């Protein structure tokens, strides 16, 4: 590679590293969506409002997270966009009028991102560039070692039911990590067992780790976190002992075989739900 070409590659790498740093900062905090209500019983429907943020605390507003890509999957499966999207410094909000009977999925899912890590230089310094496997060949320096590309993707989702619960909006897409509630979100009750099933690219995925916490973590000494790992069928089971709003943060890390875009994946589902009183 000529000196001029190397300088061009170095300049481009610096640019993408700067972009990666910003993305990493945003992704370092889990994003989640919090509905004002999980059910609508008012005749003729009602407006609900949603908070979206990125934070380590359960339902604590911290870092800005946009709602520009929010979607409401209707009970028949069609997709609608929310109304009145506003982005602030610590959260974004949007509203939606729920009037069609059945269960709706509310999703603020990001787009897949890829970064390539490699070692370079005498000190084996680990460097990163924002590139997938197809792109990295033109960006890596000649003597790059231990090259590996990771796919990152996060879903932030919840469900809202108007009247009678339905199943259509619970169907999976067959892409990246997904969670399908085996216990319908409208039927989650304190003290009763709950089951979810995880999929990766449409196939049941074992080894998905998830932590589940109830709201109010700032005001109790014990976080009362529930930790689960999916079994060979991708299923997890747990019991919310207290009624309230919960956040489940699930993650799967694994190698990808014969994937043209990445060598490994780190994918997430951040799911908000409520457990009803007995």
């Amino acid at each position: 590679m000529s000196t001029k070409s190397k300088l061009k590659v170095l300049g481009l790498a610096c640019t993408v590293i700067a972009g990666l740093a910003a993305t990493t900062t945003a992704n370092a905090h889990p994003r989640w969506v919090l509905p004002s209500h999980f059910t609508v019983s008012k005749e003729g429907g009602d407006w609900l409002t949603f908070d979206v943020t990125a934070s380590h605390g359960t339902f604590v507003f911290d870092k800005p997270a946009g709602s520009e890509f929010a979607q409401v999957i209707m009970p028949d499966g069609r997709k609608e966009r929310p109304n009145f999207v506003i982005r602030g410094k610590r959260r974004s909000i949007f509203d939606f009028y729920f009037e069609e009977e059945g269960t709706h999925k509310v999703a603020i899912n990001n787009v897949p991102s890829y970064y390539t890590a490699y070692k370079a230089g005498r000190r084996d310094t680990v460097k990163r560039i924002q590139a997938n496997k197809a792109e990295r060949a033109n960006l890596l320096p000649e003597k790059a070692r231990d090259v590996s590309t990771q796919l990152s993707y996060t879903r932030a989702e919840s469900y809202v039911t108007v009247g009678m619960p339905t199943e259509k909006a619970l169907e999976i897409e067959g892409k990246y990590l997904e969670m399908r509630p085996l216990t319908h979100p409208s039927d989650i009750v304190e003290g009763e067992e709950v089951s979810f099933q995880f999929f990766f690219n449409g196939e049941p995925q074992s080894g998905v780790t998830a932590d589940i916490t109830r709201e109010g973590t700032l005001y109790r000494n014990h976080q009362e976190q529930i930790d689960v790992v999916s079994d060979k069928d991708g299923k997890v089971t747990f019991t919310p002992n207290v009624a309230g709003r919960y956040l489940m943060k699930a993650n799967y890390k694994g190698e990808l075989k014969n994937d043209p875009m990445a060598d490994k994946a780190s994918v997430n589902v951040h799911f908000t739900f409520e457990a009803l009183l007995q």
Side-chain angles (χ1 to χ4, degrees), residues 57-226:
T58 299
F59 306 141
V60 176
F61 305 129
D62 193 353
K63 302 295 182 182
S67 300
E68 293 82 1
F69 300 109
Q71 291 183 320
V72 180
I73 293 86
M74 306 298 285
D76 63 1
R78 75 180 195 280
K79 297 178 180 177
E80 299 284 353
R81 301 300 298 272
N83 309 93
F84 309 115
V85 178
I86 301 171
R87 182 166 181 161
K89 291 294 185 182
R90 285 186 175 267
R91 62 171 174 163
S92 61
I93 62 172
F94 63 87
D95 296 344
F96 190 80
Y97 193 80
F98 290 85
E99 60 180 339
E100 292 188 21
E101 184 171 277
T103 300
H104 307 61
K105 177 190 283 187
V106 180
I108 304 92
N109 302 331
N110 65 3
V111 296
S113 62
Y114 300 86
Y115 77 82
T116 295
Y118 64 95
K119 292 180 180 177
R122 296 179 179 177
R123 298 181 178 179
D124 274 345
T125 304
V126 177
K127 299 184 178 182
R128 296 180 178 183
I129 55 175
Q130 196 162 11
N132 59 39
K133 285 172 67 175
E135 298 165 337
R136 71 189 189 190
N138 294 325
L139 298 172
L140 290 170
E142 283 183 350
K143 297 183 178 179
R145 304 181 296 281
D146 298 334
V147 178
S148 180
T149 300
Q150 176 173 294
L151 157 70
S152 298
Y153 184 76
T154 298
R155 299 177 183 274
E157 299 178 335
S158 190
Y159 291 94
V160 172
T161 294
V162 181
M164 292 293 291
T166 55
E167 298 286 335
K168 180 69 177 178
L170 276 59
E171 294 179 355
I172 63 173
E173 297 178 306
K175 296 180 179 178
Y176 316 116
L177 184 66
E178 295 178 275
M179 187 280 291
R180 192 181 198 287
L182 301 180
T183 302
H184 195 286
S186 295
D187 297 331
I188 298 176
V189 179
E190 63 170 343
E192 296 185 2
E193 197 171 82
V194 175
S195 294
F196 297 151
Q197 187 173 19
F198 289 97
F199 298 83
F200 183 72
N201 287 343
E203 299 295 328
Q205 181 61 58
S206 63
V208 178
T209 60
D211 64 76
I212 302 147
T213 52
R214 180 171 51 88
E215 61 185 329
T217 54
L218 291 177
Y219 307 104
R220 59 180 186 265
N221 290 326
H222 301 289
Q223 297 302 292
E224 301 171 7
Q225 177 175 309
I226 303 170

